[in-house]
């Protein structure tokens, strides 16, 4: 029986895993630079955590959640995003006492979308959230953090920041109602997939990829005409802070985000070389959401980035496989070899042990793996209490004592020759 991987899932190993770990390291270091604390939450939660907060008419809730009945009949969902679980965990564990609270996490998310390049059914997100401040300093700080992480991962600044403001909750309500009336006039021309959204979620028509919808949206009401004084001032301040940080951005009035909980600042970073799934990071402010999930009425702002999409944007990764192969020529030398391995590791030398007990095959494998040195251990070496070090670049070799061997390897490590 050959069992296939589930459609839209993928195994991560080899170079791809190196890219994954490289990104994770940058995420952890950048989080520490700005005082964020890591949190890990369960992969499944009560379905209620997602339905209302993400929006009952959002694509994620309508079509993409992996929801199932548990044996006791409770409804569970594999988390499709991380913001709501982090808020739930912060409330459950009393982490919202001292504010602002800054939390981050990285882990798998699940959405039943149509798989394509950069879009999976199980994918990983890094996620940063600041709870408990209305100050748009936090919005700017989070955008700075996203920009800094992307800068360290993607060569030549191949990403672009787009921002918008959705105004406060009242603004958004008024705007949605105007938008519904506007699109209603074009009901016969709007794409089939979006007809229903005219009533339920009209702002999503603004970021439709259908050419007719795009044409109709051009004359649609503009959110900026609806801002309250306070929202307008907030958006101006965000722009001012980004200018001050020298972070370039473009204002996109059709940037509305796919989840329902946003208000005021929203933003996305895109890599325009990636094809249709080109949003690397998306986020914004979600004042009111924490209360909906059962916490205090405190504001929040954050973003999430897709690790797989970032992996597609990483150019090359340094191969840090061990460059030293330990070749054991005879099976009777196992114990002696393991002692050498232990000693070398103690001296911070990493080695790949080859125990096929065949010098020729082991040497050819070492060359294939682009190893730099082979330490060869045979009966002769054991008798003389020495080790043969073969330089795989020029094929020269020498018998050395343990001290000489270590010295040679350390010198090579220090000089980083090849
Ligand atoms: P989102 O825009 O739904 O936002 O997802 C954020 C990022 O996750 C996307 O920009 C993309 O890079 C990645 N992503 C989403 N779906 C997939 C997929 N099917 N395959 C691969 N990557 C994907 C959120 O999830 C919000 N919780 C972000 C947020 C945090 N807002 C405030 N705080």
């Amino acid at each position: 029986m050959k069992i296939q991987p589930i459609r839209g899932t993928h195994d991560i190993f080899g170079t791809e895993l190196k890219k994954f770990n490289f990104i994770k390291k940058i995420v952890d270091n950048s989080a520490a630079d700005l005082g964020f604390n890591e949190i890990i939450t369960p992969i499944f939660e009560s379905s209620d955590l997602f339905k209302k907060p993400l929006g009952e008419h959002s694509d994620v809730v309508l079509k993409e959640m992996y929801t199932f009945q548990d044996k006791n009949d409770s409804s569970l969902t594999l988390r499709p995003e991380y913001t709501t679980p982090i808020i739930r965990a912060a409330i459950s564990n009393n982490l919202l006492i001292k504010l602002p609270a800054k939390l981050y996490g990285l882990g798998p998310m699940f959405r039943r979308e149509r798989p394509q390049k950069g879009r999976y059914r199980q994918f990983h997100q890094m996620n940063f959230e600041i709870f408990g401040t209305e100050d748009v300093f936090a919005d700017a700080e989070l955008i700075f953090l996203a920009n800094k992480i992307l800068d360290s991962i993607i060569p030549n600044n191949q990403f672009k920041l787009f921002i918008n403001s959705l105004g406060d909750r009242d603004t958004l309500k008024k705007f949605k109602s105007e938008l519904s009336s506007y699109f209603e006039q074009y009901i016969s021309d709007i794409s089939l997939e979006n007809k229903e959204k005219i009533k339920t979620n009209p702002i999503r028509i603004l970021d439709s990829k259908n050419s007719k919808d795009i044409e109709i949206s051009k004359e649609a009401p503009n959110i900026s005409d609806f801002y309250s004084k306070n929202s307008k001032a907030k958006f101006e301040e965000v722009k001012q802070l980004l200018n001050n940080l020298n972070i370039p951005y473009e204002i996109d009035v059709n940037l509305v985000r796919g989840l329902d909980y946003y208000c005021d600042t929203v933003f996305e970073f895109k890599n325009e070389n990636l094809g249709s799934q080109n949003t690397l990071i998306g986020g914004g402010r979600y004042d009111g959401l924490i209360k909906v999930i059962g916490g205090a009425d405190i504001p929040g702002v954050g973003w999430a980035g897709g690790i797989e999409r970032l992996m597609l944007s990483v150019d090359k990764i340094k191969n840090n496989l061990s460059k030293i192969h330990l070749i054991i020529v005879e099976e009777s030398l196992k114990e002696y070899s393991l002692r050498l391995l232990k000693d070398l590791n103690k001296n911070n030398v990493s080695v790949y042990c080859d125990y096929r007990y065949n010098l020729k095959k082991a040497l050819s494998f070492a060359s294939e793996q682009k190893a730099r040195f082979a330490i060869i251990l045979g009966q002769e070496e054991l008798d003389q209490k020495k080790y043969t070090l073969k330089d795989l670049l020029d094929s020269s070799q020498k018998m050395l004592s343990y001290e000489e061997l270590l010295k040679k390897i350390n010198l090579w490590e220090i000089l980083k020759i090849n």
Side-chain angles (χ1 to χ4, degrees):
M1 183 174 52
K2 191 173 170 206
I3 298 178
Q4 303 291 342
I6 307 291
R7 192 165 132 78
T9 67
H10 61 127
D11 304 308
I12 310 176
F13 57 94
T15 318
E16 289 304 295
L17 186 57
K18 283 197 193 327
K19 288 183 184 175
F20 186 99
N21 288 334
F22 163 72
I23 293 169
K24 168 89 170 109
K25 208 178 246 175
I26 289 172
V27 169
D28 288 337
N29 291 343
S30 308
D33 284 349
L34 295 183
F36 280 76
N37 285 313
E38 188 170 11
I39 186 161
I40 300 175
T41 73
I43 276 164
F44 56 91
E45 298 270 359
S46 160
S47 302
D48 292 337
L49 178 61
F50 306 112
K51 274 194 203 144
K52 198 170 166 219
L54 306 193
E56 270 153 323
H57 300 292
S58 67
D59 284 347
V60 173
V61 171
L62 283 178
K63 302 187 239 167
E64 297 165 6
M65 293 207 308
Y66 282 96
T67 297
F68 57 98
Q69 295 298 118
D70 198 2
K71 292 221 166 81
N72 63 0
D73 265 352
S74 50
S75 176
L76 303 178
T77 295
L78 299 185
R79 60 185 187 198
E81 62 111 46
Y82 219 172
T83 309
T84 41
I86 291 180
I87 294 174
R88 199 273 309 137
I91 298 167
S92 306
N93 297 290
N94 287 325
L95 303 178
L96 299 177
I97 308 286
K98 290 207 173 97
L99 298 173
K102 303 185 186 191
L103 295 172
Y104 84 102
L106 190 153
M109 309 295 145
F110 306 83
R111 292 184 194 177
R112 202 175 191 292
E113 294 191 83
R114 197 169 49 79
Q116 62 182 98
K117 184 183 167 200
R119 187 159 77 188
Y120 306 91
R121 290 181 173 177
Q122 176 172 339
F123 59 98
H124 294 79
Q125 275 186 351
M126 55 172 153
N127 201 102
F128 287 84
E129 310 292 348
I130 300 182
F131 304 129
T133 180
E134 271 183 21
D135 194 331
V136 294
F137 189 111
D139 307 32
E141 183 186 10
L142 281 161
I143 292 175
F144 162 72
L145 173 64
N147 193 72
K148 167 181 153 99
I149 291 177
L150 293 181
D151 231 3
S152 324
I153 296 172
I154 304 178
N156 312 321
N157 283 328
Q158 288 172 49
F159 58 88
K160 216 166 151 185
L161 167 64
F162 297 86
I163 60 168
N164 191 19
S165 168
L166 298 177
D168 54 31
R169 299 251 160 242
D170 288 340
T171 302
L172 204 52
K173 213 165 146 193
K174 239 190 295 162
F175 179 58
K176 278 184 181 170
S177 141
E178 289 283 326
L179 215 49
S180 285
S181 312
Y182 171 79
F183 286 130
E184 199 73 57
Q185 305 170 72
Y186 301 96
I187 189 156
S188 48
D189 298 324
I190 296 269
S191 66
L192 204 61
E193 69 201 82
N194 278 332
K195 273 197 208 310
E196 219 183 284
K197 291 195 180 129
I198 296 179
K199 280 211 172 70
T200 58
N201 203 5
I203 60 168
R204 282 318 303 268
I205 304 176
L206 292 176
D207 69 354
S208 162
K209 297 209 164 96
N210 177 288
S211 57
K212 268 196 169 162
D213 295 351
I214 294 174
E215 204 44 49
I216 295 168
S217 294
K218 277 185 184 153
E219 298 297 316
N222 194 321
I223 181 88
S224 58
D225 296 330
F226 293 77
Y227 293 151
S228 64
K229 214 171 145 197
N230 190 21
S231 281
K232 199 172 176 174
K234 273 187 174 171
F235 193 30
E236 287 310 314
E237 196 181 353
V238 171
K239 290 187 267 182
Q240 188 54 40
L241 291 172
L242 293 180
N243 292 339
N244 179 59
L245 283 164
N246 273 332
I247 296 179
Y249 59 85
E250 204 173 283
I251 295 169
D252 177 359
V253 289
N254 290 335
L255 198 170
V256 294
R257 309 278 305 127
L259 305 165
D260 258 17
Y261 49 60
Y262 294 104
C263 59
D264 285 312
T265 319
V266 283
F267 55 90
E268 286 181 350
F269 283 86
K270 296 188 178 187
N271 177 346
E272 283 166 337
N273 302 326
L274 276 190
S276 70
Q277 300 307 309
N278 61 5
T279 309
L280 300 169
I281 282 179
R285 203 160 251 289
Y286 45 80
D287 302 350
L289 177 63
I290 298 171
K291 189 168 171 224
V292 170
I293 298 176
D297 190 7
I298 53 169
V301 53
W303 58 257
I307 305 296
E308 281 78 2
R309 290 191 195 169
L310 282 173
M311 284 157 68
L312 288 170
S313 312
V314 175
D315 230 9
K316 279 196 197 118
I317 194 95
K318 206 176 132 219
N319 184 351
N320 58 358
L321 277 179
S322 174
K323 294 255 181 195
I324 301 169
H325 280 217
L326 176 58
I327 297 176
I328 307 143
V329 181
E330 283 170 44
E331 275 202 68
S332 59
L333 301 174
K334 273 183 204 174
E335 289 178 6
Y336 188 54
S337 313
L338 273 170
R339 280 205 302 275
L340 174 65
L341 172 70
K342 191 173 153 191
D343 286 344
L344 287 172
N345 271 188
K346 221 190 228 167
N347 284 291
N348 298 321
V349 177
S350 69
V351 267
Y352 175 89
C353 269
D354 187 304
Y355 29 76
R356 61 195 82 202
Y357 310 114
N358 180 317
L359 181 62
K360 207 167 149 210
K361 283 189 184 160
L363 277 175
S364 103
F365 180 70
S367 304
E368 229 172 74
Q369 296 291 302
K370 303 205 168 20
R372 179 65 169 76
F373 293 108
I375 302 171
I376 301 167
L377 252 183
Q379 192 57 47
E380 196 189 339
E381 282 82 4
L382 177 66
D383 293 343
Q384 296 194 31
K385 291 215 168 15
K386 289 204 164 171
Y387 307 90
T388 297
L389 185 70
K390 188 174 178 82
D391 186 326
L392 296 173
L393 265 193
D394 61 10
S395 289
S396 63
Q397 63 181 59
K398 223 175 180 179
M399 251 208 212
L400 304 171
S401 69
Y402 179 72
E403 287 69 29
E404 287 168 334
L405 178 76
L406 204 58
K407 210 164 139 191
K408 173 102 190 188
I409 292 172
N410 281 337
L411 187 68
W412 165 72
E413 292 261 12
I414 292 165
L415 296 177
K416 286 262 179 277
I417 322 162
N418 290 303

